[in-house]
Amino acid sequence: MKISANRDDLLKPLQQIVGVVERRQTLPILANVLMVVKDNRLSLTATDLEVELRTHTLVDCKGESEFTLPARKLMDICKALPDSAGITLEVESDKATLKSGRGRYTLGMLPAQDYPSIEPAKASDTFKLPVGVMKRLIDKTQFAMAQQDVRYYLNGLLLELRPGRVRAVATDGHRLALCDASFDDDSEIDTQVILPRKAVIELGRLLDDSDSEATFEISNSHLRVHLDHSSFTTKLIDGRFPDYERVMPNGQTTIMLSEKDTLKQALTRTAILSNEKYRGIRFRLSKGLLHLQAHNPEQDEAEEEIEVDYDGEEMTIGFNVGYLLDVLGVLDGDEVQMAVIDSNSSSLITQKDSAECRYVVMPMRL
């Protein structure tokens, strides 16, 4: 079989799916991409048995064929070719030869019938959501997911669905990120699912800021997302997410208002001399002023002072500066609002005059 395509048309879907391919896999075939050719359409599928991504592109060919090729090698060859270069792929029984210009590259194949497929059970809930809304929820919260925590349900993102509202929540036990969005949907959906960390990252890469709608299908153990040119399937984490509402600071809070960029720059400079392991920074609040201080075992010390809108009692709180910078990196607006209780209580960070995205950061002892 002979397949002709433009380099750019083949490279884009390969770049989309290659993140799903595991670098260290137990099954050699999981390093490959499944390619199915039919009616001048090339479908590409990648999976690691937890996450599966399918996409397609148009090519010029006669007949039908199924085969698998090494995903990263094929992508690297296409990436190294000149823009808009013509590509010819000649497929034989056990190998494929890619030709472009005077270049010739022969790749080994594995049988398509051995390629695994994720087939979720029939969907129990289905809803539609603008692609840009889902991307925003992921972008605003994914940084707070845990990494390889023994509490496996923290190594992912909670999606909570209610009629006309969707909420994303992530926490690693030291900080929490929550973002709400509303959408037009007539269904009476009321459910919670936990997406694995890798699925969240890959879905965030796949989605864009467009207003086009994606269809989400939830079964008892999987989530499938149908997009214009691709479909994404992931297993769900089977566990109970913590009651995040209890983490939200309650009680008598005092509000500090600050210019977001001013605070971010001061924190970035002070962080340079913080302890590399614990990243601790001391917040000292007084009327109209925020004093920042950091030091490390090498006896280096950094101090910054910025003007803020604060009229409460003097207070000193320790924070992990990396957590604060992560929040400021995703927060919208020019002003940041920080609700504080005392030196031993978590603080709530939001954009001024908006509670759509809320961030909780626990204090640390310094």
Side-chain angles (χ1 to χ4, degrees), residues 85-315:
I87 289 175
T88 303
L89 197 61
E90 294 181 1
V91 182
E92 297 170 25
S93 58
D94 61 343
K95 63 183 179 181
T97 304
L98 187 151
K99 297 177 182 176
S100 181
R102 296 184 179 182
R104 178 187 174 98
Y105 311 89
T106 303
L107 295 166
M109 298 195 305
L110 289 172
Q113 60 266 29
D114 294 344
Y115 202 82
S117 175
I118 297 178
E119 289 302 330
K122 191 174 184 294
S124 54
D125 289 297
T126 302
F127 65 98
K128 291 186 176 181
L129 193 66
V131 171
V133 171
M134 189 65 188
K135 181 169 177 60
R136 172 179 160 79
L137 289 173
I138 289 174
D139 289 348
K140 298 294 182 187
T141 55
Q142 68 172 352
F143 66 87
M145 293 186 296
Q147 294 189 53
Q148 298 179 326
D149 197 295
V150 291
R151 297 164 294 180
Y152 59 93
Y153 46 82
L154 297 185
N155 301 320
L157 183 83
L158 174 74
L159 270 188
E160 185 178 89
L161 293 140
R162 302 283 182 265
R165 183 180 69 81
V166 58
R167 170 178 285 179
V169 187
T171 180
D172 61 5
H174 302 286
R175 53 175 170 178
L176 180 141
L178 178 153
C179 193
D180 281 318
S182 56
F183 65 104
D184 295 326
D185 189 71
D186 299 330
S187 66
E188 291 298 309
I189 193 166
D190 187 352
T191 189
Q192 285 187 342
V193 295
I194 307 174
L195 307 185
R197 180 184 178 83
K198 181 174 179 179
V200 174
I201 292 168
E202 289 305 322
L203 195 53
R205 286 181 187 150
L206 184 63
L207 301 176
D208 57 30
D209 296 318
S210 70
D211 294 327
S212 62
E213 282 195 328
T215 302
F216 293 76
E217 296 176 352
I218 300 172
S219 66
N220 59 353
S221 58
H222 290 84
L223 171 75
R224 176 163 280 178
V225 186
H226 295 281
L227 300 158
D228 286 344
H229 300 289
S230 55
S231 73
F232 179 88
T233 307
T234 175
K235 285 186 177 179
L236 298 172
I237 292 177
D238 183 17
R240 188 171 179 82
F241 204 78
D243 183 3
Y244 61 86
E245 295 282 7
R246 290 177 57 194
V247 179
M248 293 293 169
N250 52 27
Q252 191 63 42
T253 61
T254 311
I255 302 298
M256 180 202 84
L257 274 174
S258 170
E259 289 285 331
K260 186 179 76 173
D261 288 343
T262 303
L263 178 59
K264 187 177 179 181
Q265 289 164 14
L267 286 170
T268 302
R269 291 190 295 266
T270 313
I272 296 168
L273 299 184
S274 66
N275 185 310
E276 288 183 11
K277 185 176 181 182
Y278 300 108
R279 306 292 313 278
I281 196 164
R282 185 173 279 112
F283 254 57
R284 193 165 76 240
L285 280 163
S286 57
K287 281 184 170 48
L289 280 178
L290 170 61
H291 185 87
L292 302 171
Q293 184 184 33
H295 57 82
N296 60 33
E298 289 80 43
Q299 307 301 316
D300 303 325
E301 191 168 315
E303 290 189 47
E304 283 267 355
E305 201 169 71
I306 61 172
E307 291 184 2
V308 294
D309 186 349
Y310 178 76
D311 198 28
E313 296 180 1
E314 279 203 20
M315 194 183 301

